[in-house]
Amino acid sequence: MTKQEEQQKKEQEYQELVKKVTPQNNLFLQMVKAFLVGGVICTIGQGILEGAKALGADAEMAGTWCSLLLVLCSAVLTGFSLYQPITTFGGAGALVPITGFANSVCAPAIEFQKEGQVFGVGVKIFTIAGPVILYGIFTSWLLGVVYYIGKMMGVM
């Protein structure tokens, strides 16, 4: 067997191994699960919103309570290791912005708490939150500069 044939045989065996160990995903089923999980989270949020309005809160206060309670629920579920199975089942549907963000901030803090309050929780909690805060502030500054220049030029 020549060196080239041996190389081709190894590549073919490798491709067969990759095909064998690569998980086969049903895209349609994943989309249905994401839709259902995201829909349930959003329905719970809408229920909180409507409940707060029924108790006499104005729209802004009801939205505040909705956000607060969804973040709290996500953090508590993450703390009890119950949010991970939801994300495993629902995929991107569990990443509804406010609950997904709360989970992504709490999970590293919980995971690294054994390293102490400063070097564990204090450092790892900003693994996700830090870049979001940084780019949020930078983007708002950049848009402020564009707005300011636009105002000076009479465009806005």
Side-chain angles (χ1 to χ4, degrees):
M1 183 179 281
T2 67
K3 199 171 194 176
Q4 186 178 12
E5 290 173 339
E6 189 176 309
Q7 181 68 23
Q8 286 178 341
K9 184 178 178 183
K10 284 183 181 180
E11 285 181 25
Q12 183 179 6
E13 289 173 358
Y14 176 74
Q15 292 301 325
E16 289 173 8
L17 177 64
V18 167
K19 191 173 185 178
K20 182 178 159 185
V21 298
T22 303
Q24 299 298 318
N25 296 321
N26 183 340
L27 181 61
F28 181 74
L29 183 60
Q30 285 179 321
M31 289 190 306
V32 169
K33 288 178 178 181
F35 179 79
L36 289 174
V37 170
V40 166
I41 292 171
C42 290
T43 302
I44 291 169
Q46 189 66 39
I48 294 169
L49 194 66
E50 296 302 324
K53 286 180 183 177
L55 292 172
D58 62 351
E60 186 176 341
M61 185 56 70
T64 301
W65 276 106
C66 179
S67 298
L68 180 75
L69 290 175
L70 285 175
V71 167
L72 176 66
C73 288
S74 178
V76 168
L77 289 174
T78 301
F80 287 113
S81 299
L82 297 174
Y83 203 82
Q84 182 59 38
I86 295 170
T87 58
T88 300
F89 175 80
L95 299 177
V96 175
I98 199 160
T99 55
F101 184 71
N103 171 269
S104 65
V105 169
C106 292
I110 292 168
E111 183 178 346
F112 290 96
Q113 70 183 358
K114 62 185 170 283
E115 294 181 23
Q117 293 298 314
V118 175
F119 294 112
V121 176
V123 171
K124 294 298 181 177
I125 202 164
F126 290 107
T127 302
I128 297 294
V132 171
I133 293 168
L134 171 72
Y135 290 114
I137 290 171
F138 176 73
T139 302
S140 63
W141 174 83
L142 185 64
L143 290 174
V145 168
V146 169
Y147 180 77
Y148 179 74
I149 293 171
K151 277 288 229 191
M152 287 183 64
M153 295 175 63
V155 177
M156 294 183 188

